[in-house]
Every structure is written in C-alpha cells, then in structure tokens.
Amino acid sequence: MLVRRLIFFAILLLTTIGLTALMWSVLAPGGWTVAKALLLACFIGVAPWLGVCLGNALPGFLILVLARHPARTVLPVDGDIDSAPITARTALAVTIRNEDMALVLPPLRRLLEGLADSDRFALFILSDTQDPALVAAEEAAIAAFPLPVRYRRRAANTGFKAGNVMDFLDHHAVGFDFVLTLDADSEMTPAAVRCLVRIMQAAPRMGIVQHLTAGRPAASAFPRLFQFGMRAGMRVWSIGQGWWQDDAGPYWGHNAILRIAPFRAHCRLQPLPDGSPILSHDQVEAARLRAAGWGVCVWADDDGSLEANPPALPEFLHRDARWLAGNLQYRHLLVMPGLRPMGRWQLMQAILLFAGAPLYNAMLALAAIAAATGDTADFPRGRLLALALAWTLILYAPKLLGYAETLIFRARSARYGGRARFAAGAAAEFAFTLLLDALSYPTKTLAMLRLALGARPGWLPQNRSDRGVGWAEAARMFWPHTLFGTAVFALLAWSSWPMALWALPFAGGLLVSVPFCVATSDPRLSAWLRRRRIAATPEELAGNQPCNGPPTYSTP
C-alpha cells in the first residue's frame, strides 16, 4: 500500500511541477511584471488540485480497463459477497426534514418489497420536521404506508442530520448490527443493500462501506446533463482513490452502511472552537472511525444506488454553497489530535475542492490586466496552446477517462443506447460542464466572502421538484457574473482578440450565465433531450428501473 500511495503523490507532484514549468515558460518571455508574478502564484495555488484529479483518475481508468470486476479489485475484503447468508440485522434509516412524502416513500416501498423474504431488515424514518402542517402530512403518509415502518420525529434538529442519526443509534437501534443511511432522495435496490451487508459480514473490521451513488433518471435538462458526467467521473475517481487509499476512504453521508457499535463510540461530533456545529459531518466521521482502527471504503459499482440531483442551477449552487461552508470548516480540524495521516488528507482534499475558486477568478482577472497592459504580447502561442490542452485534459481527467472506458467496452456503452448515443451525451455534457464551471467559481468566491463577513451557514430544506427559472430570477442571481465576464472579455478583446478566443472555452460561461440558467431549466430543452435520449442513463433506458447486479466485461 505504501508503494501505491507513493505513486499517487508522485503523480500529484509531477503534475504540479510540470504544469507550473509550462506556465513559467508561457509567462517568462518579455520579462516579469507584477501581474505576471501574481498570475503564476495563483496558478501554483490551483495546480495541486489538478494533480489530485489525475492521480485518482489514471489508476482508476487502468483498473476499469484491465480488471474483470473493477469494484472488487480495490475492496479490502476476502470473504464471499455474492451468496453468503445474511445473519446480521440491519436498520434502514431514512433522514427527512420538510420533505414531500409522495416522493420519499415509493422508492422505500420498492426496497422493502424486494427484501420481504428476510426478517433481517427494518425501515426507520427519522424526521427533523418542525412545521406542524408538514408533520401532520408526514404522519398521515406513514400511517397509510402498506409495509412495516417505524417513525420517529425529534422536537429539535440539534446537530442537524448527524445529530439525527446519532440520536437514532442511541435510542432506537438496539438489536441491530448495521444501519444503512439513506437520504430523502435516495433509492437503492435490494441487491445493492444485500451486497453491502455481505461486505460488512465478510470484513469484521470494516466500519463504513459507502456505495457509489449515481443520479436518478431526470426529466429536467440541468440534472440530466450534470449527472451524466458525474457518473462517469465518480466511477473512475472512486476506483482510483480506493486503489491507493485502501480502507481509509471517504464517506458521503448516505447510501452507505455503518457498523453501529464503533460508529456510536467514535463518531460523536463536538462543536467547533467557536461553538458552531460541524456542518459536513461525513468526512469527519470517516476520519475519526479510521483513527480508531476501523476501515472505511467505497464499493465503486454504479448500479443499484441512486440519488436525485438539484432540479435547476439555483438549487445546485445553493447546495454547493452549503457544502463549501461545511468543507471549509475542516481547516479547524486538520490539527485534531489522534487522526491518521490519511484522515487529515481526506479533510484537506475536501478543502481543496472549494478553496481554489478565488484563485481561478484572480487568474482570469490578472490575465485580462496583463493583456490590457501589453504583457501578453510575447506569450509563445504554441506553449500557450499546450498549457490550455494540458489544463483541460488533466482537470477533467476523471470524466474524460470515464467516457473513454465506457466507449471502449461495447457491453457498457450498450447500456447507454450504444456508442454513438453515448458519445453525443458526453459531448453535450462536456460543453455544459465548461459553461457551468465558469460561473461556479465566482459563486463559490462570493459564498466565501459572505462567510468571511460573518454569515452563519446552516442546512435549510431543499427543493427537489423540477421547475423553470425565469429571466428575472436568473438576472438577479447572475448579474455579478455577467458584469465580471463582460469586463474581462472587454479588456481581452480590446488588447488582443486571440487572447479573448483563448479564454472563451474556459470563461465564456460568465457571458451567458443568465441564459444558461434559464435554458437548462426550460421544459422545451428538457423534452428535446429526452426525445433524442441525449445523456440518458441506463436506468432511464431500462424503463426508470434501477439495474440489479454489477456488470462484468471481458473483452472490448
């Protein structure tokens, strides 16, 4: 395992050094200015994240191409996970707060009906709902539910979701060995649940097994395109990460199975030094469990475990802002006593996911200033092209290699309607991602600024229903992005049209942020994508039903 970790960090270091050297070779001609020096400093700040992307993606891709059962290749379990009898008792715990029960209950009914042949599973609904009308609706819906379910509602949502789960483990989980954590939008197949239980039975020192989770079939354009790329990227990322992290992996808070006794003993979260609660509990819980000698790993199979993604861009960015606030809290925990090096790395990686956003914006602004002052006149065009290509290929390596792996195997691409249809979806999604990423960096930066000015983040109820976004709402939300993009491209175009064209693929989303927001929630675009099956998932093509069992691939 030491050799694998050395390989990962070698890839990270070489990527960072190589990209920095290439950037230096672009900036150095013509001499150094303040703008150039700051641009290089910002680049050095974001380059390590690109190394993380490649360090996880490249091993993951090679394993997916070469291994017959990729998910098992990186699973530190030797026992039978196919047909071993299930002897442990597992609580299926669904955490809800102000949810539409008409959306929550049908997937649970399908799961329970599939597990009806076993008395080893029981369903619990753990409510943090406070609104009296919604409480009444919850109780009525659960009373009408045709299968056994146990309902518990807290009077106060102390500790948010982590507090909800721990309260359940303390007072309602007697007699159960494991708990399967599910969110309100989670859906899992009976086969996937049984697989997780068998893994836990076969690995008595495993504390958490996180199932890779894909997006549920989506009608709206935004979640449809987003989850298509996320599925390909997360599969490659998780396989590669599991290869070198072994049983020191991540936990994402849902669609995962926990061993109750060690989780209760080691995962109680204390407030931060300023008294505020920890918002993003999952990675902290994983790090603390691993520090106590218990394993945490990902079962990196993308079948049988689903979640719903935000229905439109505003909800997506609001969720991103909540995650940002939670992940940045980890800076207070990096020096927490008792954590292992890999636990600290997991927290640092979560911070890096968001911390580079201001640097991306600064790089764009500095490039515009450098162009306006003539500093870019001596940029070697060939090296600039090489830098742009290297940046794109490495930053998006998990997604691009995930697409390549699916196209290599005919059996896998057939699940998406064939290679041609899958390639069309990949092309549409990649264009979507370039536009989305361009406007997400300013949004994250503004969220960080609000936190710095004293904003108090928290977990608010989420809208999970498809909706359209009007022009007025989009304009209110994205006028700063449009203004920033207009200023940048005005400077670039005024000084050098070629530089403006260079920046267009990476920052053009700023100019079209308002129409992009409106279009990706437009029912007409959504219907057009559905009719042509662009970015359709295997579950959608199979009739909206999750697939059962992991696929195997023997030959391309």
Side-chain angles (χ1 to χ4, degrees), residues 147-208:
L147 298 171
V149 57
R150 307 180 201 184
Y151 173 71
R152 190 276 282 134
R153 189 180 70 83
R154 294 195 299 169
N157 65 323
T158 305
F160 304 112
K161 177 182 169 183
N164 194 359
V165 172
M166 191 59 71
D167 177 85
F168 165 74
L169 298 182
D170 284 340
H171 301 106
H172 304 278
V174 176
F176 290 92
D177 304 286
F178 311 136
V179 57
L180 184 81
T181 56
L182 297 169
D183 276 355
D185 59 354
S186 296
E187 180 164 5
M188 294 190 72
T189 62
V193 172
R194 289 191 175 99
C195 179
L196 292 183
V197 174
R198 290 186 176 113
I199 291 172
M200 294 292 270
Q201 291 183 164
R205 293 301 300 173
M206 194 65 66
I208 300 176

Side-chain angles (χ1 to χ4, degrees), residues 6 73 112 150 183 198 249 257 268 297 316 411 418 432 440 454 515:
L6 290 175
T73 302
L112 280 184
R150 307 180 201 184
D183 276 355
R198 290 186 176 113
I257 192 166
R268 296 182 185 276
C297 73
F316 172 82
F432 163 87
S440 71

Side-chain angles (χ1 to χ4, degrees), residues 166 169-170 205-208 258-270 278 281-296 336-340:
M166 191 59 71
L169 298 182
D170 284 340
R205 293 301 300 173
M206 194 65 66
I208 300 176
L258 320 177
R259 195 176 298 273
I260 291 176
F263 193 88
R264 286 185 63 209
H266 303 292
C267 295
R268 296 182 185 276
L269 303 183
Q270 303 301 319
I278 293 175
H281 59 93
D282 37 22
Q283 298 289 16
V284 183
E285 291 163 342
R288 293 185 63 170
L289 203 58
R290 188 67 192 93
W294 295 88
V296 179
M336 179 190 298
L339 293 186
R340 296 190 178 187

